[in-house]
Every structure is written in structure tokens, then in C-alpha cells.
Amino acid sequence: MPVTTLETGIDPVDAMTLYSPNSLTAYFGLFAVGEPKPGMTVLVSGAAGSVGAMVCQMARIAGCRVIAVAGGPDKCRWLKEEGGADVAIDYRSADLPAALKEASPDGINIFFDNVGGDILQAAVDRMAPHGRIVLCGQLAAYDSNSPAAGPRDMMKLVYGRIRMQGFVVGDYADDYASAIASIRQWEAEGRLRNRYDVRDGFERIPDAFVDIFNGRNAGTLIVRI
């Protein structure tokens, strides 16, 4: 862990959420790989999860327009009211390609992908020239026996001069302290909200683990024992 509660006095829940590797993943994926600039349009999949919710808020802090994709009306409502999203699309009920077209008339500059699958394909079709796709996770393939699939039309990336880049947060370990300092400042200014889902009891670990893949968690899922 980049921080410890004994050394910093940080609340244990905050240490596992706001100052966790998930928040650092959001920070470095967006700023080091995505390279946002004010006025850009940023799309985030898995936007109500522990990484995605932070990406949405950080992109708003960076002056970007944020489109969030999540599953269910409650998550989409939270993303618009508190999570920094200008537009929230419920992939379970919306025609995703049509909704993305409406939400991004000038295309998508940065796509922060936590899910892959059909959402990745729909995003590729809406990427603006010289856009960046930040490959953080492939949730759609985690419970499958098949490898995660890529875009169907690679020439779309060629003609669009689109960059796709994967990353792991450990690559940026030397810069953790500066990232945590920024996160602390944003929280103190009220610009970054913490969201977590606490379940009590050791016996709830298996169900909690399954809930992550079914999208039944509201933010970072913690089992307290």
C-alpha cells in the first residue's frame, strides 16, 4: 500500500478507497496515459466502480467534459449528481452506440476503459482523431474462458491516428507521493468525493466478490471483519 493508517492517521476506510491503489490507478491512467486538456471529452466505462468514479471526478477537475457509462439508474444518478459526469449512460437500458453518438457530437478524445467488450467497440467508433484509449481493465472478460476481444476494425484506429495504451499502476511508484498530495488537496477543496460499499462479516466475502463482477457494488467494495 502507498500509505499506512499508522503513519498518516488516515481513516482505514479512506486508506482503502480514497488513497488506495485504485485511486492512484485512476490518477496515473488519466493524467500520465490519457493526457487530458481542458475542453476535451472523456468517456469512462465502469464509471461507478472504485477506479471509474475517481476518473470521472479527476477528469472534471482537469476541465474536461465527462461521459460516464455504468449499469443501473441509481449509479447513473449518482454519477451525474455527485460523481462529476456531464452525461451518464445506463448500458443496460440504452442503445449504447446511439447514446454515445448523441453525447459526443464532436467525438471522444480520451476513453478510459475498465470493461472492454461491446463498450470498447462502441467507443472506438466514436473516437476523435488523435484520441487516446487508456486500457485499465477488461471486466467483460474476467469471468470468461476466452481472451478479451479487441476492436473489430483496426483500420478505424489507423485512419483516426488513435493511440491505445495499457498500463499498470506500479510503473508510477516513484510518483505516488505527489499523486496522493493532489488527491488530498482535491478532497480538502470538496472536489473529490469518496464512495464505498461496506459489507460486514467474514462469511460475506464470496458473495461480495461475485457482486463485483455483476456490478452490484456501489463504489469500492469492502468486507469488514
Side-chain angles (χ1 to χ4, degrees):
M1 291 285 289
V3 295
T4 69
T5 58
L6 291 177
E7 293 173 352
T8 65
I10 295 173
D11 179 86
V13 172
D14 285 343
M16 290 185 286
T17 55
L18 193 60
Y19 302 106
S20 73
N22 291 331
S23 293
L24 293 173
T25 296
Y27 182 95
F28 290 110
L30 179 63
F31 292 105
V33 183
E35 301 176 351
K37 294 179 175 59
M40 286 185 169
T41 295
V42 177
L43 172 66
V44 184
S45 64
S50 55
V51 174
M54 288 296 168
V55 175
C56 289
Q57 295 177 78
M58 291 176 184
R60 170 62 69 85
I61 290 169
C64 298
R65 180 171 177 270
V66 181
I67 304 171
V69 177
D74 291 339
K75 291 182 178 181
C76 288
R77 186 179 308 110
W78 181 88
L79 284 162
K80 288 194 67 176
E81 294 177 354
E82 300 186 52
D86 296 280
V87 178
I89 300 170
D90 182 355
Y91 72 86
R92 293 177 180 170
S93 61
D95 179 332
L96 186 60
L100 284 181
K101 183 177 181 179
E102 180 179 355
S104 59
D106 298 320
I108 296 162
N109 302 109
I110 300 169
F111 173 38
F112 196 107
D113 186 20
N114 294 300
V115 177
D118 292 339
I119 298 176
L120 171 59
Q121 181 59 52
V124 167
D125 291 338
R126 292 300 307 157
M127 293 301 295
H130 301 285
R132 275 91 69 190
I133 298 174
V134 182
L135 297 173
C136 179
Q138 296 286 288
L139 184 61
Y142 289 164
D143 59 353
S144 171
N145 291 325
S146 301
R152 290 189 295 268
D153 183 3
M154 292 301 290
M155 290 307 297
K156 181 80 175 179
L157 304 178
V158 175
Y159 292 137
R161 289 84 79 202
I162 308 302
R163 187 182 80 203
M164 297 182 71
Q165 181 177 336
F167 77 101
V168 292
V169 69
D171 292 343
Y172 302 95
D174 291 344
D175 298 317
Y176 281 177
S178 62
I180 291 170
S182 294
I183 292 170
R184 280 180 181 271
Q185 180 179 340
W186 293 332
E187 181 197 22
E189 294 170 349
R191 304 172 75 189
L192 200 60
R193 294 181 179 273
N194 198 4
R195 189 168 188 250
Y196 50 85
D197 183 345
V198 179
R199 316 281 178 86
D200 287 304
F202 181 84
E203 70 281 358
R204 300 193 68 182
I205 291 176
D207 288 340
F209 183 74
V210 172
D211 281 352
I212 294 174
F213 298 98
N214 291 330
R216 288 196 289 262
N217 57 304
T220 302
L221 201 158
I222 300 169
V223 177
R224 182 166 49 198
I225 57 176

